[in-house]
Amino acid sequence: MVVNSNNFEDQDLLASWFTVIGMVIMYWSPTERYIDQCVHLIYELNNLSEGKNKPTRLGSKIDLIKKYLPASIPDDLENLRKLTKSGVQIRDVLVHGVLESCNNDEIIVSKVNGKSKEHELQMFTIDLERLNKSAKNLEYINQQWGSISNALFKLSPNG
């Protein structure tokens, strides 16, 4: 995240926001790794490697996992999919956005709309409750994807 440094005088307030923002960003990284491990293991378990490239988009990865996840692995993939997509959206805004302003209750982040033909800035207002909820959801998502990845590994030849 880029910060318009001329907008912020209260460094303690800024640091408190960055703590929660950092949690959101750092919780996403292992989640993404677990999803990638699931894709790799599914390719391995189902001999999908020949002629097929592994998906690179999050939605395609989750679709592949849903399609090939063995019935022996308990899951609630539809709920997990929704939580994962929600988590990655807020992480995307935080990582690629510019912090425009903050107070004790909320931050305003601007981000270029990559789908627009114009150089259009989207403004996102994120309150502390939503950001804390996102961090907690990502912690849960991380645990769930880790559990699925571990279960797939146990089924693999190396498990």
Side-chain angles (χ1 to χ4, degrees), residues 21-76:
I21 290 168
M23 287 174 58
V24 169
I25 292 167
M26 293 310 295
Y27 277 138
W28 175 251
S29 296
T31 301
E32 188 170 34
R33 180 181 292 172
Y34 283 135
I35 292 169
D36 287 342
Q37 286 173 341
C38 289
V39 168
H40 172 77
L41 290 165
I42 282 175
Y43 262 66
E44 185 179 88
L45 289 167
N46 293 282
N47 297 316
L48 298 178
S49 297
E50 284 189 38
K52 288 189 176 186
N53 291 327
K54 292 179 185 173
T56 56
R57 288 182 32 254
L58 177 64
S60 299
K61 291 175 186 180
I62 295 173
D63 288 343
L64 179 89
I65 294 166
K66 184 176 181 179
K67 181 176 181 179
Y68 288 99
L69 190 68
S72 62
I73 299 176
D75 71 89
D76 183 7

Side-chain angles (χ1 to χ4, degrees), residues 7 11 16 67 74 77-78 82 94 97 135 139-140 153 156:
N7 292 348
Q11 294 299 307
S16 68
K67 181 176 181 179
L77 267 182
E78 199 48 46
K82 289 176 188 171
L94 294 172
E139 183 178 15
Y140 170 78
F153 180 74
S156 76

Side-chain angles (χ1 to χ4, degrees), residues 49-158:
S49 297
E50 284 189 38
K52 288 189 176 186
N53 291 327
K54 292 179 185 173
T56 56
R57 288 182 32 254
L58 177 64
S60 299
K61 291 175 186 180
I62 295 173
D63 288 343
L64 179 89
I65 294 166
K66 184 176 181 179
K67 181 176 181 179
Y68 288 99
L69 190 68
S72 62
I73 299 176
D75 71 89
D76 183 7
L77 267 182
E78 199 48 46
N79 184 48
L80 187 56
R81 168 198 279 277
K82 289 176 188 171
L83 288 172
T84 302
K85 288 209 169 210
S86 173
V88 78
Q89 286 172 343
I90 195 162
R91 175 243 170 233
D92 183 65
V93 169
L94 294 172
V95 168
H96 300 290
V98 174
L99 181 61
E100 298 291 342
S101 67
C102 69
N103 60 39
N104 287 324
D105 302 314
E106 65 186 21
I107 58 174
I108 297 178
V109 178
S110 66
K111 182 178 173 295
V112 174
N113 180 349
K115 295 181 181 180
S116 174
K117 291 182 181 183
E118 305 296 322
H119 187 76
E120 175 187 328
L121 292 180
Q122 293 176 288
M123 303 301 276
F124 298 88
T125 301
I126 304 170
D127 65 38
L128 188 57
E129 182 180 339
R130 179 175 176 209
L131 197 58
N132 281 325
K133 184 178 177 185
S134 293
K136 288 184 187 340
N137 281 345
L138 279 167
E139 183 178 15
Y140 170 78
I141 293 165
N142 184 357
Q143 292 169 352
Q144 295 303 303
W145 283 114
S147 176
I148 293 170
S149 176
N150 288 334
L152 284 168
F153 180 74
K154 288 178 184 173
L155 296 175
S156 76
N158 297 323

